[in-house]
Amino acid sequence: MLSLIKLPRVFTINQVPKVFHEDSIISGYRHPRSSATDCILSLFQLTNETLNIWTHFLPTWYFLWKLLTVVLKEYFLWAADVWSDSFTWPLLVFLMSCCVYPLASSCAHTFSTMSTRARHICFFFDYGALSLYSLGSAITYSAYVIPDKWVNSSFHQYYIPIAVVNTVICTALACYSRLGLPYIQYNHDIIKRFSECKSPKFGKCLRILAFALPYLFDNIPLFYRLFLCVGEGCTDNNTNPLHHTHIALAFLTAFLFATHLPERLAPGSFDYIGHSHQLFHVFGIIGTHFQMEAIEQDMVTRRPWLLTYSLPITFTNTLGAALLSVTLSLGIIFLFSLPLLWSATRGEHTEKTPSHPIAKGCQYH
């Protein structure tokens, strides 16, 4: 069937605008003005984005299956109605965030070549989904993972509110790293990519900071439990090796994202298979899997003690916090996207890309 369909052609780095360039990736670029159909067809040809898409699209279904499995298991084991058992709510929020972030990522990578504006907006949503995942992790850590010594402490009581604030900062800072401030550094009359055009490393550093901040804060209870806590109340159980594995994979994914290895060592050799962003996706998903296994094991192992001594799990500190975070993040994404959407609606400064687009400087940005 696919042999009867004309697949979109691919381009080299010198044939696409700079906004689409990836560090040390020389070939395999899709047309920077692809149609939605072309974007979908590109899933079935080898480009430098193909494995980026599939390495997150397929795990989405795995996490969805896990979510449904947990819902059904909890239905039969713990309560006549799973939604009446508030102890499961943090896990449900976490699993929903695990479904959302790889799906948002795969969609962003799929449709990001429809235009420059589409690329920015796609990745705005990707950043929002990652910030939701960080909050989902924090909610489960508060409910199941926090060491016994810290249960009901002041830190425990303010942990979720601070995590919500961090997700807002994460989304805003990551969006800011692409274009700057809406209507101040870019608007419907001019799109100037201040960070990548003038200082490419600045935008990358801002994104790393945006996602490092919530990760490091969310994991404070876990880092203390695993590496600093001594004596009674440290929650030293069989789940700890799973937490160690997740942490190791998390730092590996951060290393790959920050260094662009291995393609930086041999530009052009890993354009299609094996470049850092693909590895970043793969190890990130594996890390999420181990995190999920550790959270579920802590939940089951510690359930009786936590139900007796820990803070009550309510709608406010689980589903309510997630809904608030989603609402605020969507508001931020809307604000950053509005100038781009408004200019596209008015048809102003339409991007014109020749059949063989040549990228020099920032003329297409």
Side-chain angles (χ1 to χ4, degrees), residues 96-122:
M96 285 188 282
S97 73
C98 289
C99 295
V100 169
Y101 93 78
L103 179 61
S105 174
S106 61
C107 289
H109 283 286
T110 299
F111 297 107
S112 62
T113 54
M114 292 184 67
S115 69
T116 300
R117 292 181 174 89
R119 183 175 181 84
H120 294 312
I121 294 171
C122 281

PDB file of all heavy atoms in Angstrom, residues 96-122:
ATOM      1  N   MET A  96      -1.909   9.154  34.373  1.00  0.00           N
ATOM      2  CA  MET A  96      -2.479  10.002  33.326  1.00  0.00           C
ATOM      3  C   MET A  96      -1.409  10.934  32.765  1.00  0.00           C
ATOM      4  O   MET A  96      -1.339  11.151  31.545  1.00  0.00           O
ATOM      5  CB  MET A  96      -3.667  10.799  33.871  1.00  0.00           C
ATOM      6  CG  MET A  96      -4.928   9.959  34.042  1.00  0.00           C
ATOM      7  SD  MET A  96      -6.394  10.914  34.470  1.00  0.00           S
ATOM      8  CE  MET A  96      -6.104  11.202  36.212  1.00  0.00           C
ATOM      9  N   SER A  97      -0.548  11.470  33.632  1.00  0.00           N
ATOM     10  CA  SER A  97       0.527  12.333  33.142  1.00  0.00           C
ATOM     11  C   SER A  97       1.531  11.534  32.304  1.00  0.00           C
ATOM     12  O   SER A  97       2.111  12.067  31.356  1.00  0.00           O
ATOM     13  CB  SER A  97       1.240  13.020  34.318  1.00  0.00           C
ATOM     14  OG  SER A  97       2.061  12.123  35.044  1.00  0.00           O
ATOM     15  N   CYS A  98       1.721  10.259  32.651  1.00  0.00           N
ATOM     16  CA  CYS A  98       2.608   9.393  31.866  1.00  0.00           C
ATOM     17  C   CYS A  98       2.037   9.109  30.484  1.00  0.00           C
ATOM     18  O   CYS A  98       2.795   8.808  29.549  1.00  0.00           O
ATOM     19  CB  CYS A  98       2.849   8.073  32.605  1.00  0.00           C
ATOM     20  SG  CYS A  98       3.888   8.218  34.069  1.00  0.00           S
ATOM     21  N   CYS A  99       0.725   9.158  30.346  1.00  0.00           N
ATOM     22  CA  CYS A  99       0.097   9.004  29.033  1.00  0.00           C
ATOM     23  C   CYS A  99       0.192  10.294  28.225  1.00  0.00           C
ATOM     24  O   CYS A  99       0.394  10.267  27.012  1.00  0.00           O
ATOM     25  CB  CYS A  99      -1.374   8.612  29.186  1.00  0.00           C
ATOM     26  SG  CYS A  99      -1.662   6.996  29.939  1.00  0.00           S
ATOM     27  N   VAL A 100       0.060  11.420  28.915  1.00  0.00           N
ATOM     28  CA  VAL A 100      -0.011  12.712  28.228  1.00  0.00           C
ATOM     29  C   VAL A 100       1.341  13.133  27.672  1.00  0.00           C
ATOM     30  O   VAL A 100       1.442  13.580  26.514  1.00  0.00           O
ATOM     31  CB  VAL A 100      -0.561  13.793  29.176  1.00  0.00           C
ATOM     32  CG1 VAL A 100      -0.396  15.186  28.559  1.00  0.00           C
ATOM     33  CG2 VAL A 100      -2.024  13.536  29.483  1.00  0.00           C
ATOM     34  N   TYR A 101       2.420  12.978  28.460  1.00  0.00           N
ATOM     35  CA  TYR A 101       3.678  13.590  28.006  1.00  0.00           C
ATOM     36  C   TYR A 101       4.287  12.898  26.785  1.00  0.00           C
ATOM     37  O   TYR A 101       4.766  13.586  25.865  1.00  0.00           O
ATOM     38  CB  TYR A 101       4.669  13.744  29.170  1.00  0.00           C
ATOM     39  CG  TYR A 101       5.662  12.632  29.383  1.00  0.00           C
ATOM     40  CD1 TYR A 101       6.792  12.500  28.588  1.00  0.00           C
ATOM     41  CD2 TYR A 101       5.515  11.722  30.433  1.00  0.00           C
ATOM     42  CE1 TYR A 101       7.716  11.495  28.801  1.00  0.00           C
ATOM     43  CE2 TYR A 101       6.433  10.716  30.655  1.00  0.00           C
ATOM     44  CZ  TYR A 101       7.530  10.603  29.836  1.00  0.00           C
ATOM     45  OH  TYR A 101       8.448   9.600  30.052  1.00  0.00           O
ATOM     46  N   PRO A 102       4.270  11.554  26.672  1.00  0.00           N
ATOM     47  CA  PRO A 102       4.808  10.990  25.422  1.00  0.00           C
ATOM     48  C   PRO A 102       3.900  11.231  24.225  1.00  0.00           C
ATOM     49  O   PRO A 102       4.380  11.384  23.098  1.00  0.00           O
ATOM     50  CB  PRO A 102       4.950   9.497  25.738  1.00  0.00           C
ATOM     51  CG  PRO A 102       4.048   9.240  26.888  1.00  0.00           C
ATOM     52  CD  PRO A 102       3.974  10.517  27.665  1.00  0.00           C
ATOM     53  N   LEU A 103       2.581  11.304  24.460  1.00  0.00           N
ATOM     54  CA  LEU A 103       1.668  11.597  23.353  1.00  0.00           C
ATOM     55  C   LEU A 103       1.887  13.021  22.847  1.00  0.00           C
ATOM     56  O   LEU A 103       1.941  13.251  21.629  1.00  0.00           O
ATOM     57  CB  LEU A 103       0.219  11.414  23.802  1.00  0.00           C
ATOM     58  CG  LEU A 103      -0.850  11.711  22.741  1.00  0.00           C
ATOM     59  CD1 LEU A 103      -0.685  10.777  21.545  1.00  0.00           C
ATOM     60  CD2 LEU A 103      -2.251  11.581  23.332  1.00  0.00           C
ATOM     61  N   ALA A 104       2.016  13.977  23.756  1.00  0.00           N
ATOM     62  CA  ALA A 104       2.265  15.356  23.357  1.00  0.00           C
ATOM     63  C   ALA A 104       3.590  15.473  22.617  1.00  0.00           C
ATOM     64  O   ALA A 104       3.705  16.198  21.614  1.00  0.00           O
ATOM     65  CB  ALA A 104       2.260  16.273  24.583  1.00  0.00           C
ATOM     66  N   SER A 105       4.593  14.754  23.081  1.00  0.00           N
ATOM     67  CA  SER A 105       5.899  14.786  22.431  1.00  0.00           C
ATOM     68  C   SER A 105       5.837  14.214  21.022  1.00  0.00           C
ATOM     69  O   SER A 105       6.384  14.792  20.073  1.00  0.00           O
ATOM     70  CB  SER A 105       6.912  14.009  23.270  1.00  0.00           C
ATOM     71  OG  SER A 105       8.150  13.898  22.592  1.00  0.00           O
ATOM     72  N   SER A 106       5.179  13.067  20.868  1.00  0.00           N
ATOM     73  CA  SER A 106       5.097  12.454  19.543  1.00  0.00           C
ATOM     74  C   SER A 106       4.317  13.342  18.580  1.00  0.00           C
ATOM     75  O   SER A 106       4.683  13.459  17.403  1.00  0.00           O
ATOM     76  CB  SER A 106       4.468  11.060  19.639  1.00  0.00           C
ATOM     77  OG  SER A 106       3.152  11.112  20.148  1.00  0.00           O
ATOM     78  N   CYS A 107       3.251  13.982  19.060  1.00  0.00           N
ATOM     79  CA  CYS A 107       2.488  14.897  18.204  1.00  0.00           C
ATOM     80  C   CYS A 107       3.329  16.114  17.832  1.00  0.00           C
ATOM     81  O   CYS A 107       3.282  16.591  16.686  1.00  0.00           O
ATOM     82  CB  CYS A 107       1.210  15.333  18.913  1.00  0.00           C
ATOM     83  SG  CYS A 107      -0.042  14.037  19.050  1.00  0.00           S
ATOM     84  N   ALA A 108       4.094  16.631  18.792  1.00  0.00           N
ATOM     85  CA  ALA A 108       4.946  17.794  18.516  1.00  0.00           C
ATOM     86  C   ALA A 108       5.969  17.473  17.440  1.00  0.00           C
ATOM     87  O   ALA A 108       6.180  18.237  16.495  1.00  0.00           O
ATOM     88  CB  ALA A 108       5.629  18.261  19.801  1.00  0.00           C
ATOM     89  N   HIS A 109       6.627  16.311  17.569  1.00  0.00           N
ATOM     90  CA  HIS A 109       7.625  15.932  16.573  1.00  0.00           C
ATOM     91  C   HIS A 109       6.980  15.626  15.220  1.00  0.00           C
ATOM     92  O   HIS A 109       7.600  15.857  14.177  1.00  0.00           O
ATOM     93  CB  HIS A 109       8.412  14.718  17.059  1.00  0.00           C
ATOM     94  CG  HIS A 109       9.437  15.041  18.098  1.00  0.00           C
ATOM     95  ND1 HIS A 109      10.620  15.692  17.809  1.00  0.00           N
ATOM     96  CD2 HIS A 109       9.460  14.803  19.433  1.00  0.00           C
ATOM     97  CE1 HIS A 109      11.327  15.843  18.913  1.00  0.00           C
ATOM     98  NE2 HIS A 109      10.645  15.318  19.919  1.00  0.00           N
ATOM     99  N   THR A 110       5.750  15.132  15.233  1.00  0.00           N
ATOM    100  CA  THR A 110       5.080  14.805  13.975  1.00  0.00           C
ATOM    101  C   THR A 110       4.724  16.046  13.179  1.00  0.00           C
ATOM    102  O   THR A 110       5.001  16.146  11.981  1.00  0.00           O
ATOM    103  CB  THR A 110       3.799  13.985  14.244  1.00  0.00           C
ATOM    104  OG1 THR A 110       4.137  12.761  14.903  1.00  0.00           O
ATOM    105  CG2 THR A 110       3.074  13.662  12.933  1.00  0.00           C
ATOM    106  N   PHE A 111       4.120  17.031  13.838  1.00  0.00           N
ATOM    107  CA  PHE A 111       3.545  18.172  13.112  1.00  0.00           C
ATOM    108  C   PHE A 111       4.393  19.448  13.189  1.00  0.00           C
ATOM    109  O   PHE A 111       3.960  20.493  12.723  1.00  0.00           O
ATOM    110  CB  PHE A 111       2.136  18.453  13.656  1.00  0.00           C
ATOM    111  CG  PHE A 111       1.191  17.303  13.437  1.00  0.00           C
ATOM    112  CD1 PHE A 111       0.793  16.497  14.502  1.00  0.00           C
ATOM    113  CD2 PHE A 111       0.704  17.010  12.176  1.00  0.00           C
ATOM    114  CE1 PHE A 111      -0.072  15.422  14.304  1.00  0.00           C
ATOM    115  CE2 PHE A 111      -0.168  15.943  11.961  1.00  0.00           C
ATOM    116  CZ  PHE A 111      -0.549  15.146  13.035  1.00  0.00           C
ATOM    117  N   SER A 112       5.585  19.358  13.744  1.00  0.00           N
ATOM    118  CA  SER A 112       6.396  20.560  13.938  1.00  0.00           C
ATOM    119  C   SER A 112       6.967  21.120  12.642  1.00  0.00           C
ATOM    120  O   SER A 112       7.511  22.224  12.636  1.00  0.00           O
ATOM    121  CB  SER A 112       7.543  20.267  14.908  1.00  0.00           C
ATOM    122  OG  SER A 112       8.402  19.264  14.381  1.00  0.00           O
ATOM    123  N   THR A 113       6.870  20.373  11.531  1.00  0.00           N
ATOM    124  CA  THR A 113       7.415  20.890  10.270  1.00  0.00           C
ATOM    125  C   THR A 113       6.333  21.484   9.374  1.00  0.00           C
ATOM    126  O   THR A 113       6.579  21.735   8.196  1.00  0.00           O
ATOM    127  CB  THR A 113       8.159  19.777   9.500  1.00  0.00           C
ATOM    128  OG1 THR A 113       7.284  18.655   9.328  1.00  0.00           O
ATOM    129  CG2 THR A 113       9.401  19.357  10.246  1.00  0.00           C
ATOM    130  N   MET A 114       5.152  21.741   9.909  1.00  0.00           N
ATOM    131  CA  MET A 114       4.109  22.371   9.100  1.00  0.00           C
ATOM    132  C   MET A 114       4.424  23.839   8.834  1.00  0.00           C
ATOM    133  O   MET A 114       4.049  24.386   7.805  1.00  0.00           O
ATOM    134  CB  MET A 114       2.749  22.221   9.783  1.00  0.00           C
ATOM    135  CG  MET A 114       2.251  20.782   9.832  1.00  0.00           C
ATOM    136  SD  MET A 114       0.604  20.615  10.543  1.00  0.00           S
ATOM    137  CE  MET A 114      -0.403  21.430   9.308  1.00  0.00           C
ATOM    138  N   SER A 115       5.107  24.488   9.772  1.00  0.00           N
ATOM    139  CA  SER A 115       5.546  25.867   9.606  1.00  0.00           C
ATOM    140  C   SER A 115       6.394  26.232  10.813  1.00  0.00           C
ATOM    141  O   SER A 115       6.444  25.491  11.808  1.00  0.00           O
ATOM    142  CB  SER A 115       4.352  26.827   9.499  1.00  0.00           C
ATOM    143  OG  SER A 115       3.675  26.921  10.745  1.00  0.00           O
ATOM    144  N   THR A 116       7.045  27.387  10.734  1.00  0.00           N
ATOM    145  CA  THR A 116       7.796  27.870  11.892  1.00  0.00           C
ATOM    146  C   THR A 116       6.872  28.090  13.078  1.00  0.00           C
ATOM    147  O   THR A 116       7.188  27.721  14.214  1.00  0.00           O
ATOM    148  CB  THR A 116       8.521  29.181  11.543  1.00  0.00           C
ATOM    149  OG1 THR A 116       9.421  28.940  10.466  1.00  0.00           O
ATOM    150  CG2 THR A 116       9.301  29.705  12.736  1.00  0.00           C
ATOM    151  N   ARG A 117       5.723  28.715  12.826  1.00  0.00           N
ATOM    152  CA  ARG A 117       4.773  28.971  13.909  1.00  0.00           C
ATOM    153  C   ARG A 117       4.273  27.660  14.519  1.00  0.00           C
ATOM    154  O   ARG A 117       4.164  27.536  15.743  1.00  0.00           O
ATOM    155  CB  ARG A 117       3.603  29.805  13.386  1.00  0.00           C
ATOM    156  CG  ARG A 117       3.983  31.220  13.001  1.00  0.00           C
ATOM    157  CD  ARG A 117       2.779  32.006  12.505  1.00  0.00           C
ATOM    158  NE  ARG A 117       3.133  33.395  12.272  1.00  0.00           N
ATOM    159  CZ  ARG A 117       3.595  33.867  11.117  1.00  0.00           C
ATOM    160  NH1 ARG A 117       3.764  33.033  10.098  1.00  0.00           N
ATOM    161  NH2 ARG A 117       3.897  35.148  10.994  1.00  0.00           N
ATOM    162  N   ALA A 118       3.950  26.706  13.652  1.00  0.00           N
ATOM    163  CA  ALA A 118       3.469  25.413  14.148  1.00  0.00           C
ATOM    164  C   ALA A 118       4.536  24.742  15.011  1.00  0.00           C
ATOM    165  O   ALA A 118       4.221  24.120  16.031  1.00  0.00           O
ATOM    166  CB  ALA A 118       3.089  24.504  12.982  1.00  0.00           C
ATOM    167  N   ARG A 119       5.793  24.870  14.618  1.00  0.00           N
ATOM    168  CA  ARG A 119       6.875  24.258  15.390  1.00  0.00           C
ATOM    169  C   ARG A 119       6.915  24.818  16.805  1.00  0.00           C
ATOM    170  O   ARG A 119       6.995  24.066  17.780  1.00  0.00           O
ATOM    171  CB  ARG A 119       8.212  24.506  14.681  1.00  0.00           C
ATOM    172  CG  ARG A 119       9.404  23.842  15.368  1.00  0.00           C
ATOM    173  CD  ARG A 119      10.661  24.039  14.540  1.00  0.00           C
ATOM    174  NE  ARG A 119      11.813  23.399  15.158  1.00  0.00           N
ATOM    175  CZ  ARG A 119      12.142  22.124  15.020  1.00  0.00           C
ATOM    176  NH1 ARG A 119      11.381  21.323  14.283  1.00  0.00           N
ATOM    177  NH2 ARG A 119      13.216  21.626  15.609  1.00  0.00           N
ATOM    178  N   HIS A 120       6.854  26.136  16.926  1.00  0.00           N
ATOM    179  CA  HIS A 120       6.888  26.738  18.248  1.00  0.00           C
ATOM    180  C   HIS A 120       5.692  26.287  19.090  1.00  0.00           C
ATOM    181  O   HIS A 120       5.845  25.882  20.247  1.00  0.00           O
ATOM    182  CB  HIS A 120       6.883  28.261  18.139  1.00  0.00           C
ATOM    183  CG  HIS A 120       8.114  28.825  17.511  1.00  0.00           C
ATOM    184  ND1 HIS A 120       9.384  28.449  17.887  1.00  0.00           N
ATOM    185  CD2 HIS A 120       8.277  29.750  16.519  1.00  0.00           C
ATOM    186  CE1 HIS A 120      10.276  29.111  17.168  1.00  0.00           C
ATOM    187  NE2 HIS A 120       9.628  29.911  16.325  1.00  0.00           N
ATOM    188  N   ILE A 121       4.503  26.339  18.520  1.00  0.00           N
ATOM    189  CA  ILE A 121       3.290  26.009  19.271  1.00  0.00           C
ATOM    190  C   ILE A 121       3.282  24.539  19.670  1.00  0.00           C
ATOM    191  O   ILE A 121       2.914  24.186  20.798  1.00  0.00           O
ATOM    192  CB  ILE A 121       2.039  26.377  18.461  1.00  0.00           C
ATOM    193  CG1 ILE A 121       1.961  27.899  18.281  1.00  0.00           C
ATOM    194  CG2 ILE A 121       0.771  25.872  19.147  1.00  0.00           C
ATOM    195  CD1 ILE A 121       0.894  28.360  17.324  1.00  0.00           C
ATOM    196  N   CYS A 122       3.719  23.667  18.759  1.00  0.00           N
ATOM    197  CA  CYS A 122       3.782  22.231  19.081  1.00  0.00           C
ATOM    198  C   CYS A 122       4.651  21.990  20.310  1.00  0.00           C
ATOM    199  O   CYS A 122       4.278  21.237  21.225  1.00  0.00           O
ATOM    200  CB  CYS A 122       4.329  21.450  17.889  1.00  0.00           C
ATOM    201  SG  CYS A 122       3.143  21.141  16.569  1.00  0.00           S
TER     202      CYS A 122
END
